[in-house]
Amino acid sequence: YRVTTLDEKSYLIGSITDTTVLKKRESQLIEAQRQAEAARADIESIVESLPVGIVVVDETGNIELVNGSFEELWGGALPPVKGRPLDDLLRFQQAQGGISGEDGPHAEGYAACISGIRAGETPVREVAYANGRTVIEAGCAISGGRCLLTYIDITERREREREVLET
């Protein structure tokens, strides 16, 4: 700014702000964001390549992630479940004729299922489905109030066991 005093003297007024620290922090933030995005992409690739079915349920009970191995368990019969309530998936699994030795999360509904997983009270269970698949199902609590559900297809192992017992 240019200022003129009462005695007609002119002065130039300005300020200088050192933004070195701000620019350094901005660069650090951009680098940290790049690293976080790379780590997320790596984790997504890992989850997708696992031979284990993975379902992640968010803190509100909606399905956040489903990997390809989980979708393959159902041979094309699985409707889109990402973003849907877990209850939709449990109903689908019931409709697929899941049979286990005990009343499990399928009979309880998603609220009880998720509560049990978050409390560490849901046992690992083996379930035989009408499509011929035998699956070990488990769940555990993860960060942010989310739950990780895992599905391991043991169909071939059970078939080999039956063949051995028959001989």
Side-chain angles (χ1 to χ4, degrees):
Y1 290 106
R2 179 168 265 214
V3 176
T4 305
T5 61
L6 293 175
D7 60 356
E8 298 296 321
K9 290 186 180 177
S10 294
Y11 295 94
L12 187 60
I13 299 175
S15 68
I16 298 175
T17 304
D18 185 3
T19 60
T20 306
V21 173
L22 290 175
K23 288 292 185 183
K24 183 178 180 183
R25 296 234 170 123
E26 180 183 33
S27 295
Q28 290 171 338
L29 180 61
I30 290 168
E31 177 61 18
Q33 184 174 6
R34 187 197 64 73
Q35 289 176 357
E37 288 170 359
R40 181 174 178 86
D42 288 347
I43 289 171
E44 287 175 356
S45 294
I46 291 167
V47 167
E48 194 54 41
S49 70
L50 289 173
V52 173
I54 301 286
V55 175
V56 175
V57 180
D58 70 16
E59 68 279 357
T60 65
N62 290 320
I63 297 171
E64 183 177 299
L65 179 140
V66 176
N67 75 346
S69 292
F70 181 77
E71 292 174 340
E72 289 171 15
L73 287 173
W74 310 105
L78 181 69
V81 293
K82 188 173 179 182
R84 306 287 307 153
L86 177 60
D87 211 22
D88 288 0
L89 177 59
L90 295 179
R91 277 194 294 278
F92 169 79
Q93 288 178 283
Q94 279 180 324
Q96 297 302 305
I99 302 165
S100 69
E102 75 272 0
D103 287 337
H106 301 271
E108 299 169 355
Y110 88 90
C113 176
I114 291 298
S115 295
I117 291 168
R118 288 186 177 130
E121 298 168 352
T122 302
V124 173
R125 58 193 218 130
E126 183 175 317
V127 182
Y129 286 97
N131 67 1
R133 299 269 188 197
T134 302
V135 178
I136 294 177
E137 299 179 354
C140 66
I142 57 175
S143 67
R146 297 174 302 159
C147 293
L148 171 68
L149 308 177
T150 58
Y151 299 80
I152 302 170
D153 186 354
I154 60 167
T155 305
E156 290 179 15
R157 180 183 302 163
R158 290 294 179 247
E159 288 171 358
R160 276 187 255 124
E161 288 173 0
R162 277 191 286 279
E163 289 171 3
V164 167
L165 289 174
E166 289 173 2
T167 57

